[in-house]
Amino acid sequence: MAFKEYGSYDGIGLAELVRKRQVSPKELLDEAIARTAKVDPQINAVVVKHYDYAERQIDKGLADGPFTGVPFLLKDLDILEGTRTTFGASIYKDDVADHTGTLAGRFLRAGVTIFGKSASPEFGLMPTTESRLHGPTRNPWNLAHSSGGSSGGAAAAVAARILPVAHASDGGGSIRIPASASGVFGLKPTRARNPLGPDRGEGWSGFSCGHVVSISVRDSAAMLDAVQGPEPSSPYVAPPPARPYLEEVGRDPGRLRIAFTDKSPYGDAIDPEIAAATREIAALLSGFGHHVEERAPALAADPAAVMSTIVSANTALNVRIAEARFGRAMTERDFEILTLASAYNGQKATATDYVAAQLAAFQISRALAAFFETCDVLLCPTLCSPPLRVGELNTMAQDLSHIGPVLRRYMPATSMFNMSGQPAMSVPLAWNRAGLPLGMMFAARFGDEATLLRLAAQLERERPWKAKLPPICA
């Protein structure tokens, strides 16, 4: 194999080369490591490197799966026995896992070679990836900008072609935000489609889920086939698919009823280039023969207020766990100011406040379910402004009042689909005049990843993005 062509293959393509013995898993691992050495000093995407673990995997024999031999990164919020997971926090900088998460185990069964952990902000709290512990992860398209978050390391590594597919997770947009900012494909599956155990049954009151970001639609579909399904501790399950998701890629999506909006759900003005790109994609979909009309769901409650309560309660628990483990109060030496402030808010809130936030999330979910009775898909911008500049969100500032307005302007539409549990994806369909990616978000009914994957494949054929490479790959 000519390794200069490595970056043109998706995960399924690399696995096919392994099956045909045209390349070995060790050669693929060596290429991923070489690419990490070349570009990671510029983007800072791979913050934990455990190449020895990957080499031992290969020596012992990889599982026979759809991605056998494909290099892979776990997000630095998930655990893999015998390897470091820092959660982006100083207090955990040397923490080594004593067991493996269920989803990570399923990735291993899919045959991937896990050679490290990708960067995340502390506890995955921010839509940029700039932890104090590891420093900022930079956007491969423009190093002055963020790659997004919280799966910013994964998206940057895939965009820079260190590897074709990487683990990501999404509690309020953390797959779709970095997919948009970094110009890759990112699908947030239906709630409970993929497991979160064995240490928890759900994350962030059911808002959080794990999957991947990828170069291609088919990689996302094939990985969903490989890892989806409940585990014994699952508190609830997603509706089973009608057929393997990989079979949906290339299937005729039919004539879909697509609603679209180029506005923020709060009614705020958005970046004009993003608004224009949204309308352009709506026109493209109409040209495919879909029924497209401009309308949007009304917010039944404020998603930002819901997220604040739910996330702060979970952050307070994370800090309490650390205090119990280390036997002392946590300070700014241990966690960022934002994390401690969020934990304080969670401690101050009452159980009634938490239940009220859950009720508000249900009201949002109910309104969305009613809206999707009259359409199959909603199109809107993934982000309402271009990728943030590095440093625009400062989690170590004594005054954190700048963060709320930035979040409202930047990513107002992503979290509502975490609350409803609906599948949603960011598709890299546009770039602005400055050369930064502008992802388009599509959401479908609960349990209907199939429609999204069919539509994504249709768009991928019409507007292929795999060959579009950031300057860092030159």
Short mmCIF file of all heavy atoms in Angstrom, two decimals, residues 374-420:
data_model
loop_
_atom_site.label_atom_id
_atom_site.label_comp_id
_atom_site.label_asym_id
_atom_site.label_seq_id
_atom_site.Cartn_x
_atom_site.Cartn_y
_atom_site.Cartn_z
N THR A 374 -45.66 16.12 11.51
CA THR A 374 -45.96 16.76 10.23
C THR A 374 -44.74 16.88 9.32
O THR A 374 -44.82 17.52 8.27
CB THR A 374 -46.54 18.16 10.48
OG1 THR A 374 -45.58 18.96 11.18
CG2 THR A 374 -47.83 18.07 11.30
N CYS A 375 -43.63 16.32 9.72
CA CYS A 375 -42.45 16.30 8.85
C CYS A 375 -41.59 15.09 9.21
O CYS A 375 -41.75 14.50 10.28
CB CYS A 375 -41.64 17.59 8.95
SG CYS A 375 -40.77 17.81 10.51
N ASP A 376 -40.70 14.72 8.31
CA ASP A 376 -39.80 13.59 8.53
C ASP A 376 -38.45 14.04 9.07
O ASP A 376 -37.80 13.32 9.84
CB ASP A 376 -39.58 12.82 7.23
CG ASP A 376 -40.88 12.31 6.62
OD1 ASP A 376 -41.61 11.60 7.33
OD2 ASP A 376 -41.16 12.64 5.45
N VAL A 377 -38.02 15.22 8.64
CA VAL A 377 -36.69 15.72 8.95
C VAL A 377 -36.76 17.22 9.17
O VAL A 377 -37.52 17.93 8.49
CB VAL A 377 -35.69 15.40 7.80
CG1 VAL A 377 -34.35 16.10 8.01
CG2 VAL A 377 -35.49 13.90 7.66
N LEU A 378 -35.97 17.71 10.12
CA LEU A 378 -35.77 19.15 10.29
C LEU A 378 -34.33 19.47 9.94
O LEU A 378 -33.40 18.84 10.43
CB LEU A 378 -36.05 19.57 11.73
CG LEU A 378 -35.69 21.03 12.08
CD1 LEU A 378 -36.58 22.00 11.32
CD2 LEU A 378 -35.77 21.28 13.58
N LEU A 379 -34.13 20.48 9.08
CA LEU A 379 -32.81 21.00 8.73
C LEU A 379 -32.63 22.36 9.39
O LEU A 379 -33.51 23.23 9.29
CB LEU A 379 -32.69 21.14 7.21
CG LEU A 379 -31.60 22.10 6.68
CD1 LEU A 379 -30.20 21.61 7.02
CD2 LEU A 379 -31.76 22.32 5.18
N CYS A 380 -31.50 22.55 10.04
CA CYS A 380 -31.13 23.86 10.57
C CYS A 380 -29.61 23.90 10.69
O CYS A 380 -28.95 22.87 10.56
CB CYS A 380 -31.80 24.13 11.92
SG CYS A 380 -31.29 23.03 13.26
N PRO A 381 -29.01 25.06 10.92
CA PRO A 381 -27.56 25.09 11.10
C PRO A 381 -27.16 24.34 12.37
O PRO A 381 -27.84 24.42 13.39
CB PRO A 381 -27.25 26.58 11.25
CG PRO A 381 -28.46 27.30 10.76
CD PRO A 381 -29.62 26.40 11.00
N THR A 382 -26.07 23.59 12.29
CA THR A 382 -25.55 22.98 13.52
C THR A 382 -25.10 24.07 14.49
O THR A 382 -25.42 24.03 15.68
CB THR A 382 -24.38 22.05 13.21
OG1 THR A 382 -24.75 21.12 12.18
CG2 THR A 382 -23.95 21.28 14.45
N LEU A 383 -24.37 25.03 13.97
CA LEU A 383 -23.87 26.17 14.75
C LEU A 383 -24.35 27.45 14.10
O LEU A 383 -24.43 27.54 12.87
CB LEU A 383 -22.34 26.15 14.80
CG LEU A 383 -21.71 24.90 15.41
CD1 LEU A 383 -20.19 24.91 15.22
CD2 LEU A 383 -22.07 24.79 16.89
N CYS A 384 -24.65 28.45 14.90
CA CYS A 384 -25.19 29.70 14.37
C CYS A 384 -24.13 30.78 14.19
O CYS A 384 -24.44 31.90 13.82
CB CYS A 384 -26.33 30.18 15.26
SG CYS A 384 -27.81 29.15 15.10
N SER A 385 -22.88 30.44 14.46
CA SER A 385 -21.75 31.31 14.13
C SER A 385 -20.58 30.41 13.76
O SER A 385 -20.59 29.21 14.06
CB SER A 385 -21.39 32.23 15.31
OG SER A 385 -20.97 31.48 16.42
N PRO A 386 -19.58 30.93 13.08
CA PRO A 386 -18.44 30.09 12.69
C PRO A 386 -17.72 29.54 13.93
O PRO A 386 -17.95 30.00 15.05
CB PRO A 386 -17.55 31.05 11.90
CG PRO A 386 -18.44 32.17 11.49
CD PRO A 386 -19.46 32.30 12.57
N PRO A 387 -16.84 28.56 13.73
CA PRO A 387 -16.09 28.00 14.88
C PRO A 387 -15.46 29.10 15.72
O PRO A 387 -14.86 30.04 15.20
CB PRO A 387 -15.04 27.11 14.21
CG PRO A 387 -15.67 26.70 12.91
CD PRO A 387 -16.50 27.87 12.47
N LEU A 388 -15.61 28.97 17.04
CA LEU A 388 -15.08 29.98 17.95
C LEU A 388 -13.56 30.07 17.85
O LEU A 388 -12.88 29.10 17.52
CB LEU A 388 -15.46 29.63 19.39
CG LEU A 388 -16.96 29.60 19.71
CD1 LEU A 388 -17.16 29.17 21.16
CD2 LEU A 388 -17.60 30.96 19.46
N ARG A 389 -13.04 31.23 18.15
CA ARG A 389 -11.60 31.40 18.22
C ARG A 389 -11.09 30.80 19.52
O ARG A 389 -11.79 30.80 20.55
CB ARG A 389 -11.21 32.87 18.14
CG ARG A 389 -11.62 33.52 16.81
CD ARG A 389 -11.10 34.93 16.71
NE ARG A 389 -9.66 34.96 16.47
CZ ARG A 389 -9.08 34.88 15.27
NH1 ARG A 389 -9.83 34.76 14.19
NH2 ARG A 389 -7.77 34.91 15.16
N VAL A 390 -9.89 30.25 19.50
CA VAL A 390 -9.28 29.72 20.71
C VAL A 390 -9.20 30.83 21.76
O VAL A 390 -8.77 31.94 21.46
CB VAL A 390 -7.88 29.14 20.40
CG1 VAL A 390 -7.13 28.80 21.68
CG2 VAL A 390 -8.00 27.91 19.51
N GLY A 391 -9.65 30.53 22.96
CA GLY A 391 -9.62 31.50 24.03
C GLY A 391 -10.89 32.31 24.19
O GLY A 391 -11.03 33.06 25.16
N GLU A 392 -11.83 32.15 23.27
CA GLU A 392 -13.07 32.93 23.35
C GLU A 392 -13.91 32.52 24.56
O GLU A 392 -14.64 33.32 25.12
CB GLU A 392 -13.87 32.75 22.05
CG GLU A 392 -14.92 33.80 21.82
CD GLU A 392 -15.46 33.82 20.40
OE1 GLU A 392 -14.79 33.29 19.48
OE2 GLU A 392 -16.55 34.36 20.20
N LEU A 393 -13.81 31.26 24.95
CA LEU A 393 -14.42 30.79 26.19
C LEU A 393 -13.30 30.49 27.18
O LEU A 393 -12.42 29.66 26.91
CB LEU A 393 -15.24 29.51 25.95
CG LEU A 393 -16.54 29.67 25.17
CD1 LEU A 393 -17.16 28.30 24.91
CD2 LEU A 393 -17.52 30.56 25.89
N ASN A 394 -13.32 31.15 28.33
CA ASN A 394 -12.24 31.02 29.31
C ASN A 394 -12.79 30.38 30.58
O ASN A 394 -13.47 31.05 31.37
CB ASN A 394 -11.62 32.37 29.61
CG ASN A 394 -10.46 32.29 30.58
OD1 ASN A 394 -10.06 31.19 31.01
ND2 ASN A 394 -9.91 33.43 30.96
N THR A 395 -12.50 29.10 30.77
CA THR A 395 -13.05 28.38 31.93
C THR A 395 -12.27 28.64 33.21
O THR A 395 -12.62 28.13 34.26
CB THR A 395 -13.08 26.86 31.64
OG1 THR A 395 -11.75 26.41 31.37
CG2 THR A 395 -13.98 26.54 30.48
N MET A 396 -11.19 29.42 33.12
CA MET A 396 -10.43 29.78 34.31
C MET A 396 -10.59 31.25 34.68
O MET A 396 -9.88 31.77 35.53
CB MET A 396 -8.94 29.45 34.10
CG MET A 396 -8.62 27.97 34.20
SD MET A 396 -9.05 27.26 35.82
CE MET A 396 -7.90 28.11 36.90
N ALA A 397 -11.55 31.93 34.04
CA ALA A 397 -11.79 33.33 34.35
C ALA A 397 -12.49 33.46 35.70
O ALA A 397 -13.36 32.65 36.05
CB ALA A 397 -12.64 33.97 33.26
N GLN A 398 -12.13 34.49 36.45
CA GLN A 398 -12.82 34.75 37.72
C GLN A 398 -14.26 35.19 37.45
O GLN A 398 -15.16 34.91 38.23
CB GLN A 398 -12.07 35.82 38.51
CG GLN A 398 -10.71 35.37 39.03
CD GLN A 398 -10.80 34.22 40.02
OE1 GLN A 398 -11.74 34.13 40.80
NE2 GLN A 398 -9.82 33.31 39.97
N ASP A 399 -14.47 35.87 36.35
CA ASP A 399 -15.82 36.28 35.93
C ASP A 399 -16.23 35.40 34.75
O ASP A 399 -15.68 35.51 33.65
CB ASP A 399 -15.82 37.75 35.54
CG ASP A 399 -17.21 38.26 35.12
OD1 ASP A 399 -18.17 37.45 35.15
OD2 ASP A 399 -17.31 39.44 34.77
N LEU A 400 -17.19 34.53 34.97
CA LEU A 400 -17.63 33.58 33.93
C LEU A 400 -18.86 34.07 33.18
O LEU A 400 -19.47 33.31 32.41
CB LEU A 400 -17.93 32.23 34.58
CG LEU A 400 -16.76 31.53 35.27
CD1 LEU A 400 -17.26 30.33 36.07
CD2 LEU A 400 -15.71 31.08 34.26
N SER A 401 -19.22 35.34 33.36
CA SER A 401 -20.48 35.83 32.79
C SER A 401 -20.46 35.87 31.26
O SER A 401 -21.52 35.97 30.63
CB SER A 401 -20.80 37.22 33.34
OG SER A 401 -19.79 38.16 32.99
N HIS A 402 -19.27 35.81 30.66
CA HIS A 402 -19.20 35.83 29.19
C HIS A 402 -19.67 34.53 28.57
O HIS A 402 -20.03 34.49 27.39
CB HIS A 402 -17.76 36.10 28.75
CG HIS A 402 -16.80 34.98 29.02
ND1 HIS A 402 -16.40 34.64 30.29
CD2 HIS A 402 -16.18 34.09 28.19
CE1 HIS A 402 -15.56 33.61 30.23
NE2 HIS A 402 -15.41 33.26 28.97
N ILE A 403 -19.69 33.44 29.33
CA ILE A 403 -19.90 32.12 28.73
C ILE A 403 -21.35 31.92 28.25
O ILE A 403 -21.58 31.47 27.12
CB ILE A 403 -19.48 31.01 29.72
CG1 ILE A 403 -17.96 31.02 29.86
CG2 ILE A 403 -19.97 29.64 29.26
CD1 ILE A 403 -17.40 30.00 30.82
N GLY A 404 -22.33 32.27 29.06
CA GLY A 404 -23.72 32.08 28.69
C GLY A 404 -24.09 32.73 27.37
O GLY A 404 -24.65 32.08 26.47
N PRO A 405 -23.80 34.02 27.17
CA PRO A 405 -24.12 34.66 25.89
C PRO A 405 -23.43 34.03 24.68
O PRO A 405 -24.01 33.93 23.60
CB PRO A 405 -23.66 36.11 26.10
CG PRO A 405 -23.74 36.32 27.58
CD PRO A 405 -23.34 35.00 28.17
N VAL A 406 -22.18 33.60 24.87
CA VAL A 406 -21.47 32.94 23.76
C VAL A 406 -22.16 31.64 23.40
O VAL A 406 -22.38 31.33 22.21
CB VAL A 406 -19.99 32.70 24.11
CG1 VAL A 406 -19.32 31.86 23.02
CG2 VAL A 406 -19.25 34.02 24.27
N LEU A 407 -22.54 30.83 24.39
CA LEU A 407 -23.20 29.56 24.12
C LEU A 407 -24.54 29.78 23.41
O LEU A 407 -24.88 29.05 22.48
CB LEU A 407 -23.42 28.78 25.42
CG LEU A 407 -22.18 28.39 26.23
CD1 LEU A 407 -22.57 27.47 27.37
CD2 LEU A 407 -21.13 27.75 25.36
N ARG A 408 -25.30 30.77 23.85
CA ARG A 408 -26.60 31.05 23.22
C ARG A 408 -26.42 31.44 21.76
O ARG A 408 -27.19 31.04 20.89
CB ARG A 408 -27.31 32.16 24.00
CG ARG A 408 -28.66 32.57 23.39
CD ARG A 408 -29.29 33.69 24.20
NE ARG A 408 -30.43 34.27 23.51
CZ ARG A 408 -31.67 34.28 23.99
NH1 ARG A 408 -31.94 33.72 25.16
NH2 ARG A 408 -32.65 34.87 23.32
N ARG A 409 -25.38 32.23 21.47
CA ARG A 409 -25.14 32.65 20.10
C ARG A 409 -24.60 31.51 19.24
O ARG A 409 -24.94 31.40 18.05
CB ARG A 409 -24.14 33.82 20.11
CG ARG A 409 -23.57 34.21 18.75
CD ARG A 409 -22.69 35.44 18.85
NE ARG A 409 -21.58 35.29 19.77
CZ ARG A 409 -20.42 34.76 19.44
NH1 ARG A 409 -20.20 34.28 18.23
NH2 ARG A 409 -19.44 34.69 20.34
N TYR A 410 -23.76 30.68 19.84
CA TYR A 410 -22.99 29.69 19.08
C TYR A 410 -23.77 28.42 18.76
O TYR A 410 -23.81 27.99 17.61
CB TYR A 410 -21.74 29.34 19.88
CG TYR A 410 -20.72 28.47 19.17
CD1 TYR A 410 -20.30 28.76 17.88
CD2 TYR A 410 -20.15 27.39 19.82
CE1 TYR A 410 -19.34 27.98 17.25
CE2 TYR A 410 -19.19 26.61 19.21
CZ TYR A 410 -18.79 26.90 17.92
OH TYR A 410 -17.85 26.13 17.31
N MET A 411 -24.40 27.80 19.76
CA MET A 411 -24.98 26.46 19.56
C MET A 411 -26.36 26.36 20.23
O MET A 411 -26.58 25.54 21.10
CB MET A 411 -24.03 25.37 20.07
CG MET A 411 -23.18 25.71 21.29
SD MET A 411 -24.00 25.65 22.89
CE MET A 411 -24.16 23.90 23.16
N PRO A 412 -27.31 27.21 19.80
CA PRO A 412 -28.61 27.23 20.47
C PRO A 412 -29.52 26.06 20.13
O PRO A 412 -30.49 25.81 20.86
CB PRO A 412 -29.22 28.54 19.98
CG PRO A 412 -28.64 28.73 18.61
CD PRO A 412 -27.22 28.24 18.74
N ALA A 413 -29.24 25.32 19.05
CA ALA A 413 -30.21 24.34 18.56
C ALA A 413 -29.85 22.89 18.85
O ALA A 413 -30.67 22.00 18.58
CB ALA A 413 -30.40 24.51 17.05
N THR A 414 -28.68 22.62 19.37
CA THR A 414 -28.25 21.22 19.47
C THR A 414 -28.88 20.49 20.66
O THR A 414 -29.30 19.34 20.54
CB THR A 414 -26.72 21.11 19.58
OG1 THR A 414 -26.25 21.92 20.65
CG2 THR A 414 -26.06 21.55 18.28
N SER A 415 -28.98 21.15 21.82
CA SER A 415 -29.33 20.41 23.04
C SER A 415 -30.78 19.95 23.09
O SER A 415 -31.10 19.00 23.80
CB SER A 415 -29.01 21.25 24.28
OG SER A 415 -29.85 22.39 24.35
N MET A 416 -31.66 20.59 22.34
CA MET A 416 -33.06 20.17 22.40
C MET A 416 -33.23 18.71 21.95
O MET A 416 -34.11 17.99 22.44
CB MET A 416 -33.94 21.09 21.55
CG MET A 416 -33.72 21.03 20.06
SD MET A 416 -34.86 22.09 19.14
CE MET A 416 -34.13 23.69 19.41
N PHE A 417 -32.37 18.24 21.06
CA PHE A 417 -32.49 16.86 20.59
C PHE A 417 -31.84 15.86 21.55
O PHE A 417 -32.11 14.66 21.48
CB PHE A 417 -31.93 16.74 19.17
CG PHE A 417 -32.72 17.58 18.19
CD1 PHE A 417 -32.16 18.70 17.61
CD2 PHE A 417 -34.03 17.26 17.91
CE1 PHE A 417 -32.89 19.48 16.74
CE2 PHE A 417 -34.77 18.04 17.04
CZ PHE A 417 -34.20 19.16 16.45
N ASN A 418 -31.00 16.36 22.46
CA ASN A 418 -30.56 15.51 23.57
C ASN A 418 -31.70 15.32 24.55
O ASN A 418 -31.88 14.24 25.12
CB ASN A 418 -29.37 16.14 24.27
CG ASN A 418 -28.15 16.25 23.38
OD1 ASN A 418 -28.02 17.23 22.65
ND2 ASN A 418 -27.28 15.27 23.43
N MET A 419 -32.50 16.37 24.74
CA MET A 419 -33.63 16.28 25.66
C MET A 419 -34.73 15.37 25.12
O MET A 419 -35.34 14.61 25.87
CB MET A 419 -34.17 17.68 25.93
CG MET A 419 -33.15 18.55 26.66
SD MET A 419 -33.62 20.28 26.75
CE MET A 419 -32.03 20.99 27.19
N SER A 420 -34.97 15.44 23.82
CA SER A 420 -36.00 14.59 23.21
C SER A 420 -35.49 13.19 22.93
O SER A 420 -36.29 12.27 22.70
CB SER A 420 -36.50 15.22 21.91
OG SER A 420 -35.48 15.22 20.92
#
